[in-house]
Amino acid sequence: ASGESLPLMISQLGDETLAFPDGVAYPVEAMQMVRLEMHAFNPSSETARAEASVEFVGTDEPPDALAGLLFYWTLDIYLVPGVDTVVGPVWMPVDAGAQVFAITGHTHRWGTGVTVAKSSGATDEGVSLYEHADFDWEEPPTDWLEPHVAFADGEGFRFGCTYRNDGEDIVEFGLSAEDEMCFLWAYYYPATGERVCLQTGDYVGCCPGDDLLCDIIADQDAYQ
């Protein structure tokens, strides 16, 4: 459906629960439309049926703070066959005052890892928040951060992805299952809204704030 679209949750696991901290919730207006979108890839020659469901649990108590989603990605992916490749690290800002309580990384099939740190800049290794030696690209874990991680002015995420391209062709960023991605998303409060940030080359843009990126996102939402 067309119209403004704000992501509530992204899951890559067969069964996952988004549990908010005490006193934190998403606001849902009366008669609010909710869109459930599922991505599936069938590598076989047989027809397969994919199903998904979602359950919302409400509260009668007014929340102390609202939750929001932070979404970050890079386009700078170029994977040569037979070579271990590191993409990043990339640094992107997080609004001062944000309390991050969960993080997930995402790649496609050649991904061997995602690392995320809280950092003051691209050259600051910072404090590791997300890293798994047994990273599974099909079901990458969501890490629930305790205590929640607070960001000050000038701080952000420093993240990167590692790959092993065992195919025969060069692989770059794209939306197909044959392409690759390097994403992270995080849940935070008190929300000032959803925030989407993109990096490529020397460009780093975030929406809201960057009109060009906001227009691209709006056009994608309208298409869907």
Side-chain angles (χ1 to χ4, degrees):
S2 62
E4 184 180 11
S5 176
L6 298 176
L8 299 179
M9 179 180 180
I10 305 171
S11 178
Q12 303 166 99
L13 304 180
D15 185 10
E16 186 171 21
T17 299
L18 175 57
F20 294 112
D22 292 342
V24 177
Y26 274 142
V28 179
E29 302 293 336
M31 305 302 292
Q32 172 65 55
M33 186 194 82
V34 176
R35 185 176 74 200
L36 176 62
E37 179 180 321
M38 179 173 63
H39 297 180
F41 177 72
N42 179 10
S44 74
S45 59
E46 303 295 326
T47 300
R49 181 180 180 84
E51 297 181 349
S53 63
V54 63
E55 178 182 359
F56 290 89
V57 178
T59 176
D60 295 328
E61 298 295 326
D64 298 321
L66 300 180
L69 179 68
L70 305 172
F71 191 88
Y72 299 79
W73 85 98
T74 175
L75 300 182
D76 293 348
I77 299 174
Y78 189 86
L79 310 181
V80 176
V83 175
D84 292 320
T85 303
V86 178
V87 171
V90 173
W91 187 88
M92 294 189 187
V94 176
D95 287 345
Q99 299 265 354
V100 174
F101 62 90
I103 287 180
T104 304
H106 171 79
T107 70
H108 285 177
R109 61 176 174 161
W110 302 130
T112 58
V114 176
T115 60
V116 183
K118 173 189 172 183
S119 166
S120 62
T123 59
D124 173 25
E125 293 186 3
V127 178
S128 177
L129 302 179
Y130 184 96
E131 185 171 7
H132 293 269
D134 56 350
F135 181 83
D136 180 358
W137 72 270
E138 292 188 277
E139 291 199 334
T142 297
D143 282 1
W144 304 92
L145 306 178
E146 289 291 348
H148 307 151
V149 179
F151 285 78
D153 188 33
E155 294 182 324
F157 288 123
R158 183 179 187 262
F159 76 100
C161 300
T162 56
Y163 305 86
R164 174 70 184 189
N165 178 4
D166 288 329
E168 298 179 352
D169 301 315
I170 290 172
V171 178
E172 299 181 77
F173 173 85
L175 304 181
S176 165
E178 300 299 321
D179 301 320
E180 265 301 345
M181 293 182 170
C182 181
F183 289 172
L184 82 86
W185 50 86
Y187 302 95
Y188 82 108
Y189 70 94
T192 55
E194 277 60 32
R195 187 170 180 85
V196 178
C197 295
L198 165 68
Q199 177 273 336
T200 181
D202 294 331
Y203 168 82
V204 175
C206 292
C207 179
D210 186 300
D211 291 341
L212 174 60
L213 182 58
C214 291
D215 288 344
I216 293 172
I217 294 170
D219 288 345
Q220 180 68 16
D221 286 340
Y223 172 76
Q224 293 175 341

